Amino acid sequence: MIGAEDLDLLKPELTFTDIEADDTEDLFQKMLARLEPMGYTKENWLDAMITRERAYATGLQTPTIGVAIPHADNCVNKAYIAVVKPVKPVVFQPMGGIGDEVQAELIINLGIVREGGQVDMLQALMKVFMDDGAVVDIMAQHTPEELVTCIKRHLA
């Protein structure tokens, strides 16, 4: 179960609506350029993210949009949740390797260090993403502040 401490990890300064990326690796490099100066990532973050995504893809085609929930272990200095609503969709491979490539219009990068926290948040996000109304509401938001408020409302 997610608690207030997990919801507090969603912050406007960790929500990016202006990233344009050619592929997942380019996306991760651009995310690192923003997260690293704020002290969230360890030196191995980029390699860990790329390796984990190749081994266990995180793309999820919902009834409404494509999303991705990338994460990796042991590469975070302090807990965070980064939200990316990219300028154009970023291609992710499908979760479980089943299905077509996913054109991710929303990426939520979990950097939760609490024991079991990533699994709890992943499950909560999956429920939100399966709710068409919630997805439409989230995607209608344009600023980092609006996105954070909206996502928190649907997770609570």
Side-chain angles (χ1 to χ4, degrees):
M1 185 168 125
I2 62 170
E5 70 276 9
D6 293 325
L7 290 177
D8 288 344
L9 299 177
L10 285 158
K11 302 175 183 175
E13 61 267 22
L14 296 173
T15 303
F16 313 113
T17 58
D18 60 346
I19 291 179
E20 189 166 350
D22 297 327
D23 54 35
T24 54
E25 290 187 26
D26 187 32
L27 173 71
F28 293 155
Q29 289 170 347
K30 289 176 177 176
M31 289 177 66
L32 178 63
R34 307 230 183 150
L35 296 171
E36 187 177 44
M38 293 186 271
Y40 286 100
T41 59
K42 291 183 179 177
E43 284 184 23
N44 68 329
W45 186 89
L46 183 60
D47 287 339
M49 291 295 294
I50 292 170
T51 300
R52 171 92 177 43
E53 191 62 33
R54 283 182 184 154
Y56 303 100
T58 61
L60 177 67
Q61 184 61 54
T62 75
T64 313
I65 64 164
V67 298
I69 312 171
H71 53 280
D73 297 320
N74 304 315
C75 61
V76 175
N77 282 328
K78 58 184 178 179
Y80 71 91
I81 297 174
V83 176
V84 179
K85 187 177 173 187
V87 173
K88 62 179 181 159
V90 178
V91 174
F92 275 76
Q93 295 306 308
M95 225 178 251
I98 300 168
D100 297 326
E101 290 180 334
V102 175
Q103 298 285 328
E105 297 177 61
L106 185 67
I107 298 104
I108 302 200
N109 171 222
L110 303 180
I112 301 174
V113 294
R114 177 178 65 77
E115 185 68 36
Q118 293 207 141
V119 172
D120 292 345
M121 183 58 75
L122 187 60
Q123 291 172 340
L125 286 169
M126 298 285 268
K127 285 181 185 174
V128 170
F129 294 145
M130 291 301 143
D131 177 343
D132 291 346
V135 172
V136 168
D137 189 23
I138 291 167
M139 294 308 290
Q141 309 309 311
H142 299 289
T143 69
E145 293 79 11
E146 290 170 346
L147 275 164
V148 166
T149 299
C150 187
I151 293 169
K152 283 182 177 182
R153 183 172 65 247
H154 288 289
L155 284 170

